[in-house]
Amino acid sequence: MYRFRLISVLMVCLCVCLPAWGQGTTSRVVGVVSDASGAVVPHARVTLTNEATNVSFTTTTTGAGTYVFASVQVGRYSLAVEAQGFKKFLS
């Protein structure tokens, strides 16, 4: 009886804990930089800054104007975009 109870408790713990393994503490920030006419802006410099820690990450848009910041910690961020011939964008 003791063995059955122990196995039952272990199985319940395993079933409850498995979904928690799928949860993470990071996310991704993705986007497309485009101008006022909707045309994409390749090779723009995109900077993501954590407002609490002031830590910044910088990337450059692809030829299709896309950018990705992977494994971003939870927090509040500001975004800056700079490209030659364009006014600096802050968000």
Side-chain angles (χ1 to χ4, degrees), residues 6-90:
L6 178 64
I7 291 173
S8 296
V9 169
L10 289 175
M11 291 300 290
V12 167
C13 288
L14 182 63
C15 290
V16 169
C17 293
L18 278 177
W21 287 336
Q23 305 302 313
T25 59
T26 61
S27 188
R28 290 177 4 142
V29 176
V30 298
V32 177
V33 177
S34 58
D35 65 13
S37 71
V40 297
V41 180
H43 312 296
R45 179 180 171 164
V46 183
T47 303
L48 186 69
T49 304
N50 184 310
E51 293 180 0
T53 63
N54 227 19
V55 174
S56 295
F57 305 95
T58 302
T59 190
T60 303
T61 59
T62 65
T66 62
Y67 62 89
V68 176
F69 292 99
S71 299
V72 176
Q73 295 294 321
V74 174
R76 192 175 188 110
Y77 289 84
S78 61
L79 186 78
V81 180
E82 299 174 272
Q84 188 173 359
F86 291 92
K87 179 180 170 185
K88 183 176 182 178
F89 173 83
L90 296 172

